Amino acid sequence: MTSRFALLLTGLASLALAGPALADASGAFRDGKWPAAISQGRAEATPASLTLAGRAQLAIAAYDTRDKAQALALVQRAEADFDAALAKNPGDIAAQMQKAVAIGYRAKLTKAPGLAKDARKRFETLRDAHPDNSLAWSAIGGWHGGAIATLGNFMASTVLGAKSAEVDRNFGQALKLDPDNPSLRTIYAMTLLDLNAGNAARAATVLGGIGALPARDGFEALLRAQGVQLAAALKAGNVKAAQALARRLQAFGTLA
């Protein structure tokens, strides 16, 4: 266990003991205070707060963890929180969505095709039942793009059923539903660059004005900052460097 991960666990333990002095889970998540969101989310133990606790762990796992085993452990703990939320309210859309994200993350970390297919099926079920849910559309676009970028067109299609046309179709609808969401724009731009450096101009267009978009919570603020960084790299004109940056900034892009 690295010292950084040990400090994180120590911090979580101390937050759990701190009690009422802490902000609520919603406020902590809004401010990007992940350990507080985890501790308070579990303490409040509502479907919404447990979902925020899980989301905070996914953020730490995907963007602030360097070791694959530690990242996987955090994802599994997050999934347990989503399961707890769903046990209280099986119809909770946010918990269902994040449960699918966690399964997709486990698929990516363990290279398990079965889990990847499970995640896509869950995303599609949510999208079909709730066609106004921009996150479901975005997740499906990211799923197809990530599969193709990782395996190549032929293998992704053969093994997982991924289709390149689904990337733009799903991200396009996500942005129609929520055009000012900086996280959707950043993830779309990263996906485009991960697929092909030739998508640089399109990625730059997607990221246009991203720094001025409002961030409604800590996750959107994190992704907006990444989008600003990526937009600057694209503006500098070094497409290969921008592509490398996109791959490094994406979820689990810095795992050892």
Side-chain angles (χ1 to χ4, degrees):
M1 180 178 290
T2 67
S3 58
R4 182 172 186 166
F5 194 61
L7 285 171
L8 169 63
L9 294 179
T10 301
L12 293 177
S14 64
L15 285 167
L17 296 174
L22 291 171
D24 61 16
S26 178
F29 192 88
R30 183 185 62 242
D31 295 338
K33 297 178 180 177
W34 308 136
I38 296 166
S39 176
Q40 287 301 102
R42 289 174 176 168
E44 293 166 23
T46 66
S49 72
L50 288 165
T51 299
L52 289 177
R55 288 189 66 193
Q57 287 173 107
L58 292 185
I60 295 170
Y63 301 105
D64 197 31
T65 304
R66 302 294 176 263
D67 178 80
K68 183 180 289 189
Q70 292 169 3
L72 182 59
L74 284 166
V75 170
Q76 290 171 326
R77 290 172 194 164
E79 195 171 345
D81 285 328
F82 303 138
D83 286 339
L86 290 168
K88 292 175 178 287
N89 181 10
D92 191 291
I93 297 171
Q96 291 174 0
M97 180 69 199
Q98 296 303 319
K99 166 80 172 180
V101 171
I103 291 171
Y105 277 2
R106 281 201 291 124
K108 184 171 184 176
L109 291 169
T110 61
K111 294 179 170 44
L115 288 176
K117 292 177 182 178
D118 184 11
R120 188 188 71 183
K121 183 177 179 180
R122 289 169 183 264
F123 291 142
E124 290 174 342
T125 297
L126 281 165
R127 179 197 62 187
D128 294 345
H130 307 281
D132 59 342
N133 190 315
S134 63
L135 297 182
W137 287 94
S138 175
I140 295 168
W143 185 94
H144 284 274
I148 294 168
T150 300
L151 299 176
N153 265 307
F154 178 76
M155 287 300 295
S157 175
T158 302
V159 177
L160 297 175
K163 300 176 182 178
S164 59
E166 291 297 299
V167 177
D168 290 329
R169 185 174 85 87
N170 284 279
F171 273 116
Q173 182 61 23
L175 289 176
K176 284 182 182 178
L177 292 167
D178 196 2
D180 294 331
N181 187 325
S183 63
L184 299 186
R185 289 187 173 276
T186 296
I187 293 171
Y188 186 18
M190 287 180 177
T191 301
L192 288 171
L193 285 169
D194 199 20
L195 284 168
N196 193 322
N199 288 328
R202 293 178 61 205
T205 298
V206 169
L207 292 172
I210 192 167
L213 296 179
R216 291 165 287 195
D217 57 39
F219 182 76
E220 288 189 8
L222 170 66
L223 271 291
R224 180 180 62 186
Q226 291 185 342
V228 169
Q229 190 177 353
L230 188 56
L234 287 166
K235 186 176 181 180
N238 189 331
V239 175
K240 288 186 177 180
Q243 185 183 50
L245 176 63
R247 289 172 173 168
R248 187 167 67 251
L249 291 175
Q250 69 181 354
F252 307 111
T254 58
L255 288 182

